[in-house]
Amino acid sequence: MMRNVMRKVMRRRMTVTVGALVAAMTLTVAVSGSAYAAQGTLIVNGAQYDDPSGCFGIDRFPSSVTNDTDAIAEVHSGPACSGQVEWLVYPGETYHTETAQSVFIL
C-alpha cells in the first residue's frame, strides 16, 4: 500500500517537472523568435537594407527585389504587405515585378 502511494507521488512530481520544462522551453522559443531578423542584405529598387525585418514598400515600377539574406522574402500585391503574396524570393535570388507594392521579410 505504501509503495503504491509513493509511486503516485513520484508520478505527480515527474508530471509537474516535465510540464514546467515544456512551459520554459515554449517561452524561450517564443521570446527568441520575436527578436529574429534576417541576416544579410535585402535590396529593393537599389535601396539596401542590412539585417532586415518587417515590411518594405515598393515605390516605383518596374521593380526589383534582391534577397541576399538567410530568409525568404514575400513580395505582396498590396501596400504595407497586404494583398496576396505575388512571389517568394529565396536567398540568393532576384525578382522583377511590375505590379507588387511591398516586400515582407522576417
Side-chain angles (χ1 to χ4, degrees):
M1 174 108 169
M2 183 67 157
R3 184 175 266 176
N4 286 339
V5 170
M6 290 300 291
R7 284 184 187 166
K8 286 181 181 180
V9 168
M10 292 301 289
R11 282 187 199 149
R12 186 168 294 159
R13 285 184 183 169
M14 186 66 117
T15 301
V16 169
T17 301
V18 169
L21 286 173
V22 169
M25 288 181 357
T26 301
L27 181 60
T28 300
V29 169
V31 169
S32 65
S34 64
Y36 179 80
Q39 299 294 308
T41 304
L42 179 71
I43 303 170
V44 180
N45 289 336
Q48 182 173 316
Y49 303 98
D50 294 322
D51 299 333
S53 178
C55 186
F56 300 87
I58 294 177
D59 57 356
R60 67 178 189 267
F61 305 99
S63 300
S64 68
V65 176
T66 300
N67 184 2
D68 290 329
T69 71
D70 60 354
I72 298 170
E74 299 175 346
V75 179
H76 288 262
S77 62
C81 296
S82 64
Q84 295 184 352
V85 174
E86 182 178 299
W87 197 259
L88 297 176
V89 186
Y90 288 87
E93 293 183 347
T94 297
Y95 177 65
H96 299 279
T97 178
E98 294 186 10
T99 57
Q101 296 185 38
S102 55
V103 180
F104 179 80
I105 191 161
L106 178 64

